[in-house]
Amino acid sequence: MNKPLFMRIVTRLANEVSFFQRRRDATGRLGLSGLQKATTAIRMMAYGCAADAVDEYLRLGESTAMSCLENFVEAIIYLFGDEYLRTPTPQDLQRLLDVGEMHEAVASHYLWIWHEFFGPPSTSNDINVLDKSPVFDDILQGRAPKVNFFVNGHEYDLAYYLTDGIYPNWSTFIQSISLPQTPKASLFATLQESVRKDVERAFGVLQARFAIVKNPALIWDKRKIGKIMRTCIILHNMIVEDERDGYTQFDVSEFAQAESNRSSHVDFMYSKDMPSNMCNLMAIRTRLRDRNIHEQLKNDLVEHIWRKFGTTQNEY
């Protein structure tokens, strides 16, 4: 994290959160500064060190360090959560779709939305609680922007996730092909797994930047772990925004295409305040789990990818 960004965070904490404001004790001596408290929390998150490992460097005890971390994560979520941990807007979705088209990649029709901070289930144990997952709440309740895209000449209006074979055959899940027997199936499996791994590595980026994410968390309860995760993602997004211009290595205008070439579209006028009732919920739920749509979409994607990349399949 660059120093100007860190100081901007510290300044807002000191000005707007009482815990990080410097006070005098009963003897009139000044207590810890907001900079000391914020530095303590950042070091614990970045290095994954114990609370009693910062006592000599920052002059505060273990219990105070724990308090700094807990108040820091709550303050970051309160001050920056709405801006850096919001749900995607229609503009965000259209930009994601356009990026896929500009790069002519497989991801041109793959929409990735992290609901809250985890997004869809990612391990076999999570399948047991898939029905309780909040991933599709916005779709079921009519709050999600309407997305339209075409694959192999067919129109679809539901975003979907690339998954592995443990997921059910829903219209919102597209698995790889195990043991592909044809060149088309082999190419699809290769590219599907490649793109899916790119998304899964996003969690690895957080682990590399914040060691607290990969260390054991036995002393924390689930509520505190959730707040720490949210804070790590908020800080990561702030760092990316702050450093974005510095690591862009290509001119995206080279990939720009005309408006008429779009094969995907987000309806900006789509109402997110649709009245929901049991009939609507059941109808949308049925569409989400439609196996026929799943098979048709998967077959269309196989054909689309083969038509687009089949001539260069040896590169993969």
Side-chain angles (χ1 to χ4, degrees), residues 106-150:
V106 184
S108 59
H109 302 298
Y110 293 165
L111 202 55
W112 301 93
I113 302 173
W114 274 19
H115 186 95
E116 295 294 334
F117 53 86
F118 279 130
S122 57
T123 65
S124 57
N125 290 334
D126 291 323
I127 293 299
N128 298 325
V129 294
L130 182 59
D131 286 335
K132 299 180 180 179
S133 172
V135 174
F136 302 113
D137 283 358
D138 283 350
I139 298 177
L140 290 172
Q141 298 174 15
R143 297 194 302 263
K146 189 175 181 180
V147 178
N148 293 96
F149 58 92
F150 291 84

Side-chain angles (χ1 to χ4, degrees), residues 51-69:
D52 59 359
V54 296
D55 53 354
E56 295 184 2
Y57 178 69
L58 294 164
R59 300 290 190 265
L60 70 169
E62 178 181 1
S63 60
T64 306
M66 295 286 287
S67 180
C68 288
L69 179 59

Side-chain angles (χ1 to χ4, degrees), residues 157-181:
D157 58 5
L158 285 177
Y160 60 90
Y161 298 96
L162 298 185
T163 65
D164 54 27
I166 64 175
Y167 287 79
N169 293 333
W170 294 0
S171 61
T172 45
F173 293 142
I174 296 296
Q175 303 92 340
S176 180
I177 299 176
S178 59
L179 301 176
Q181 302 297 315

Side-chain angles (χ1 to χ4, degrees), residues 9-46:
I9 294 174
V10 172
T11 300
R12 286 204 62 182
L13 291 174
N15 291 336
E16 303 181 38
V17 182
S18 60
F19 178 83
F20 292 92
Q21 296 171 356
R22 200 169 194 179
R23 295 184 177 85
R24 295 184 181 274
D25 60 18
T27 65
R29 297 176 58 184
L30 283 173
L32 299 170
S33 67
L35 179 60
Q36 286 176 287
K37 295 176 180 178
T39 302
T40 298
I42 287 288
R43 286 180 65 86
M44 292 178 65
M45 295 175 65

Side-chain angles (χ1 to χ4, degrees), residues 252-273:
V252 295
S253 63
E254 297 178 3
F255 304 96
Q257 295 185 8
E259 182 79 13
S260 60
N261 290 340
R262 285 183 178 174
S263 62
S264 53
H265 174 68
V266 177
D267 186 357
F268 289 81
M269 302 302 294
Y270 183 71
S271 174
K272 297 178 69 174
D273 299 318

